[in-house]
Amino acid sequence: MSFTTLGLSSSLLDVLSGKNYTKPYPIQQAAIPAILNGKDVLGIASTGSGKTASFVLPLLTNLQGDLVIKNRHVTVLVLVPTRELAVQVQEVFYTFGSGLPKPVKSMAVYGGVSINPQMIGLQGVNVLVATPGRLLELVESKAVHLSGIKTLVLDEADKMLNLGFKEEMNRIFALLPKKRQNLLFSATLSDDLNNINQFLLHDPLVIKIAAETNTIDLINQVAYSVEEERKGPLLRYLIKTNDWQQVLVFTSSAYKADAVADKLVKNGLGAEAIHSKKSQRARTEALRQFKSGDIQVLVTTDLLARGIDIEFLPCVINYELPRSPKDYIHRIGRTGRAESAGEAISLIAPDDEHHFKIIQKKMGKQVNRIETAELILRGY
Ligand code: AMP
């Protein structure tokens, strides 16, 4: 199947071929025609499945037919859980939407940065990608009006609930016109989310994409048995001897992320830590440098485990294991993306053994093990 049969506008098809989007991913095949027809959609799919383009492309086509520019009244609202995801989704709208005959103006708004530039920037915006708290602040200060919303998208809805945005989401829903299209994407379906689905979605097309299990098969998972105090030297040994140019390292706390990044830098590796205790500016800059290859190692907490798409990330390392097996899968899902193979490494100290067993059981997969007791790590 090619994109040409899905009903997208011809100018958008031209942009797609320039971006190497040659054939639609399964979620796109299912969602694009439905969204073009104004249907509600429930997509059970995670980052990596191509879900962003599955709503961006048809919404841009729909906007070409009816691009209303009423000042500070946005037409499409995308709610996302994190600032990073807001920026990433807006980039996809920008990539495909800015060169169209009727250019679509999109903007990302999120907390943790000054509100004034966002208030000014909201002039003439058609598509707003927002985290819930900042959106409500902007609505309260009348910088944006939601009464003209035609389509509401909830992206990573499960994460939004996990982060405690339920009350804000309900306040936002109450501000929207009753008649509208609703698109909801989530990696998992909890009872809480089912309640939202039932109240929000009308006769939705349900699409389930088992992207994570497919992706997991693409990932080469390896676990290294190592004493806790040798984790740092082993990490540096692995990065240096394998000459990995782009490595994402996960720790369990912001404090640990800083400590690991500091040690990497002291040992001559380009590294930065990003976590919720850093300013938004520092987070954005570190992510930009990592994506562009200016720094080799990014050390983070589960803040980045979901939602962030870094194309062709070759290697992810669990310096410390996440608490939940689901987060393990999300973390390693940062590699093996877009149908390319990746490497996911876990450093397992004796105290981690029991928890790692549980993770493997939940995943239904035994991870290959390498012993490191004999490995000489002096000098790393
Ligand atoms: P997402 O799940 O939306 O985060 O997308 C995952 C990655 O797949 C992103 O890097 C997209 O640019 C890429 N992608 C999405 N759809 C396609 C497609 N049809 N062809 C090629 N790449 C795609």
Side-chain angles (χ1 to χ4, degrees):
M1 182 185 267
S2 87
F3 274 107
T4 50
T5 57
L6 297 179
L8 295 169
S9 75
S10 55
S11 41
L12 201 50
L13 291 175
D14 292 342
V15 184
L16 276 171
S17 59
K19 302 281 173 207
N20 278 335
Y21 275 49
T22 45
K23 72 179 199 325
Y25 288 173
I27 191 165
Q28 295 160 0
Q29 291 177 22
I32 290 173
I35 297 173
L36 287 172
N37 280 326
K39 248 187 115 54
D40 282 7
V41 168
L42 170 61
I44 306 302
S46 56
T47 308
S49 57
K51 70 175 163 67
T52 317
S54 84
F55 61 84
V56 169
L57 300 175
L59 290 179
L60 286 172
T61 297
N62 287 348
L63 281 168
Q64 290 303 289
D66 130 54
L67 197 64
V68 187
I69 304 178
K70 192 171 161 203
N71 208 10
R72 296 190 179 274
H73 284 72
V74 287
T75 311
V76 171
L77 174 65
V78 187
L79 287 181
V80 294
T82 63
R83 304 149 186 189
E84 282 78 8
L85 190 60
V87 170
Q88 190 173 293
V89 170
Q90 190 271 333
E91 273 170 6
V92 180
F93 273 106
Y94 178 79
T95 301
F96 292 113
S98 52
L100 296 178
K102 290 187 200 163
V104 173
K105 189 171 172 195
S106 57
M107 183 177 176
V109 294
Y110 39 81
V113 292
S114 164
I115 196 168
N116 287 341
Q118 294 179 353
M119 287 172 146
I120 296 163
L122 273 161
Q123 297 269 10
V125 167
N126 314 109
V127 175
L128 185 61
V129 187
T131 54
R134 176 51 59 97
L135 177 66
L136 283 168
E137 286 178 79
L138 288 162
V139 168
E140 272 153 27
S141 53
K142 303 217 173 343
V144 66
H145 304 286
L146 304 182
S147 58
I149 295 288
K150 296 225 162 106
T151 304
L152 168 71
V153 184
L154 299 188
D155 197 5
E156 308 231 348
D158 51 348
K159 180 92 188 276
M160 257 187 298
L161 291 179
N162 290 344
L163 288 175
F165 283 132
K166 192 171 175 182
E167 196 213 326
E168 278 105 333
M169 284 158 74
N170 282 331
R171 282 173 57 201
I172 293 166
F173 299 157
L175 296 169
L176 304 177
K178 292 234 155 25
K179 198 171 164 305
R180 57 168 200 264
Q181 181 180 37
N182 299 289
L183 313 174
L184 191 148
F185 294 86
S186 182
T188 53
L189 262 191
S190 61
D191 286 349
D192 240 5
L193 198 58
N194 265 327
N195 289 339
I196 292 195
N197 296 345
Q198 275 161 21
F199 136 86
L200 213 64
L201 301 174
H202 302 287
D203 185 25
L205 172 73
V206 180
I207 307 166
K208 285 192 185 150
I209 302 289
E212 292 188 343
T213 31
N214 292 344
T215 313
I216 279 184
D217 292 337
L218 278 174
I219 301 169
N220 180 28
Q221 295 186 62
V222 185
Y224 286 81
S225 308
V226 59
E227 294 295 327
E228 186 66 42
E229 62 276 13
R230 278 171 38 104
K231 277 188 176 180
L234 178 61
L235 174 70
R236 299 187 287 274
Y237 167 87
L238 288 172
I239 295 173
K240 286 184 175 172
T241 53
N242 288 297
D243 198 23
W244 286 316
Q245 290 308 310
Q246 217 184 13
V247 186
L248 187 62
V249 177
F250 285 102
T251 61
S252 55
S253 67
Y255 166 79
K256 195 75 188 179
D258 281 337
V260 170
D262 276 358
K263 276 281 192 163
L264 288 168
V265 171
K266 285 201 177 95
N267 282 278
L269 289 157
E272 279 284 350
I274 83 168
H275 47 69
S276 53
K277 294 201 164 55
K278 292 233 161 167
S279 72
Q280 183 55 38
R281 185 191 293 257
R283 282 159 61 171
T284 308
E285 178 57 16
L287 192 60
R288 189 198 62 73
Q289 287 185 332
F290 183 62
K291 282 189 173 185
S292 67
D294 292 343
I295 54 171
Q296 191 179 356
V297 190
L298 192 64
V299 190
T300 186
T301 60
D302 280 309
L303 176 77
L304 276 200
R306 286 202 203 178
I308 296 304
D309 176 47
I310 300 167
E311 226 173 334
F312 309 127
L313 187 57
C315 184
V316 167
I317 300 182
N318 289 311
Y319 189 93
E320 290 167 314
L321 290 173
R323 282 229 303 278
S324 105
K326 266 189 203 140
D327 279 338
Y328 174 86
I329 293 172
H330 287 304
R331 282 184 182 186
I332 70 170
R334 301 309 99 214
T335 180
R337 311 291 312 286
E339 295 170 354
S340 69
E343 188 111 19
I345 288 172
S346 298
L347 307 189
I348 307 296
D351 282 352
D352 304 322
E353 288 294 354
H354 176 67
H355 188 44
F356 195 51
K357 264 203 191 97
I358 297 174
I359 289 177
Q360 292 176 89
K361 200 165 161 217
K362 278 264 155 66
M363 182 170 53
K365 198 169 175 149
Q366 188 77 20
V367 174
N368 289 337
R369 187 60 78 103
I370 297 178
E371 296 298 328
T372 63
E374 311 275 295
L375 194 66
I376 296 166
L377 294 173
R378 213 174 299 120
Y380 283 101

